[in-house]
Amino acid sequence: MKNYVDSSFPDTFEPRHVGSRTSRADRGEDWNYLDDQLTESQRWSTWPATEKLMRGPLPYPEFVIEDAGAIDTELGVLKTGKEADVFLIERATADQRSLLAAKRYRSPDQRTFNRSSTYTQGRSVKRSRDARALKNGSTYGRLVEASRWANSEWQYLRMCFEAGAPVPYPVQIMGTEILMEFIADPESQGAAAPRLQHVHPDKERLGYYWEQIVGAMKVFAQLGFAHGDLSPYNVLAAGERLVVIDLPQFVDLAGNEGGVGFLLRDCQNISAWFRSRGLDVDGDELLAEVIAEAW
């Protein structure tokens, strides 16, 4: 994992010289001379344009910058995926700065993977036009699908965070971009937390990790869901703390006829990794323990 240290950025934003507003053919009607302060990798904070339900749960953590004058700077790619990419974003003013992870779902023509409808069984689509478009697979339907996955992940992140599950704090959503808490590695300054798959904890920490992942799965079950795609690749190890990521495919245990099957797969995948690291656990026993929380 690449180290993301903002040494290439100044400690404060120095205002550039700006002249009076002039008319140019390459500038739109909404152009503002302050835009000349930004580079290609920067934008003004999108926070002011978000509504209440597009923001994370109250109270906002200290790292959430609400200043309308903040600037978002893209620092690099954290993860590339088949349907979305995650970027490292610095949101900063002259006095504050914080790092955020920006998950951006790709447009339909850029995606290399379409999630199976077996995940979404039991979910409803409110607008009849959207439901028809999804069924017909039209261009509009594919756009609806991309937004649908982003909105699903947003709702599940909010729900799980409020229930106390170890997931990143959801900062905001705008279109198909979700800004969320950047999970740093406390044991490697400036680096992102590694995936569970890539760590080799000692026996004591391994046991503590197991307690955390079982606790997370129980919270999901209490909410009526299975992660649906849980594996050591979808869990971050931030020192002693585990954080579960990638939630758009959450499976409704009651509304999806394959829900228990998805949960079993989650249990088997996670148990297999812990056994590979030397912990004596059983996927079937984990399933029984977790499913008891759902009913």
Side-chain angles (χ1 to χ4, degrees):
M1 179 64 68
K2 177 181 177 181
N3 286 345
Y4 289 98
V5 182
D6 58 356
S7 58
S8 60
F9 294 88
D11 291 334
T12 58
F13 287 104
E14 295 293 340
R16 300 180 182 179
H17 173 74
V18 291
S20 59
R21 180 168 180 165
T22 58
S23 176
R24 273 178 38 178
D26 60 345
R27 290 172 175 165
E29 291 296 322
D30 60 347
W31 174 83
N32 187 298
Y33 71 88
L34 291 175
D35 294 340
D36 280 353
Q37 293 179 247
L38 306 184
T39 68
E40 291 184 358
S41 62
Q42 293 181 317
R43 68 185 182 192
W44 294 104
S45 169
T46 52
W47 177 268
T50 58
E51 300 176 357
K52 183 178 180 180
L53 292 179
M54 298 164 64
R55 297 175 178 178
L58 293 170
Y60 300 136
E62 290 185 2
F63 65 80
V64 173
I65 298 176
E66 303 178 62
D67 194 322
I71 293 175
D72 293 347
T73 301
E74 189 174 303
L75 301 182
V77 179
L78 290 172
K79 174 195 172 187
T80 57
K82 295 178 180 179
E83 57 185 353
D85 299 316
V86 182
F87 297 83
L88 182 65
I89 300 291
E90 180 193 57
R91 176 164 287 177
T93 66
D95 303 314
Q96 294 177 281
R97 64 177 56 205
S98 66
L99 294 177
L100 303 172
K103 185 169 185 178
R104 298 170 183 166
Y105 280 82
R106 296 178 181 174
S107 60
D109 58 332
Q110 294 177 320
R111 300 170 73 187
T112 59
F113 175 71
N114 291 313
R115 288 189 180 274
S116 170
S117 60
T118 55
Y119 285 106
T120 59
Q121 191 178 97
R123 298 185 191 177
S124 62
V125 179
K126 294 182 179 180
R127 296 176 57 185
S128 58
R129 179 195 177 196
D130 292 350
R132 290 195 302 271
L134 284 168
K135 183 178 180 179
N136 296 332
S138 64
T139 299
Y140 174 70
R142 292 193 297 273
L143 291 171
V144 170
E145 184 183 18
S147 298
R148 189 184 185 195
W149 285 110
N151 289 329
S152 293
E153 179 153 29
W154 171 253
Q155 295 297 335
Y156 294 140
L157 275 172
R158 281 185 56 106
M159 176 181 67
C160 290
F161 184 87
E162 290 182 301
V167 299
Y169 176 81
V171 176
Q172 66 175 77
I173 182 172
M174 178 166 285
T176 55
E177 179 189 76
I178 299 174
L179 286 182
M180 63 188 81
E181 175 188 4
F182 169 66
I183 307 300
D185 183 355
E187 299 173 355
S188 180
Q189 185 177 5
R195 298 178 185 278
L196 184 61
Q197 176 67 25
H198 301 138
V199 301
H200 296 269
D202 59 30
K203 186 175 181 179
E204 181 179 1
R205 181 172 289 188
L206 186 68
Y208 185 44
Y209 279 174
W210 175 254
E211 293 175 3
Q212 290 182 66
I213 200 65
V214 171
M217 295 177 73
K218 286 183 176 181
V219 173
F220 299 157
Q222 290 164 5
L223 293 169
F225 294 92
H227 184 283
D229 196 25
L230 190 62
S231 79
Y233 290 97
N234 287 336
V235 180
L236 301 180
E240 295 186 348
R241 178 172 71 115
L242 293 186
V243 180
V244 180
I245 59 173
D246 292 339
L247 311 184
Q249 73 294 311
F250 252 37
V251 177
D252 189 323
L253 289 173
N256 190 316
E257 64 183 19
V260 175
F262 280 108
L263 179 58
L264 173 60
R265 187 177 68 180
D266 287 350
C267 293
Q268 291 175 337
N269 287 342
I270 285 298
S271 297
W273 183 85
F274 278 90
R275 284 198 304 273
S276 74
R277 294 297 191 268
L279 195 64
D280 184 17
V281 294
D282 182 81
D284 291 335
E285 292 179 2
L286 176 59
L287 173 65
E289 188 176 349
V290 172
I291 207 168
E293 300 291 329
W295 289 283

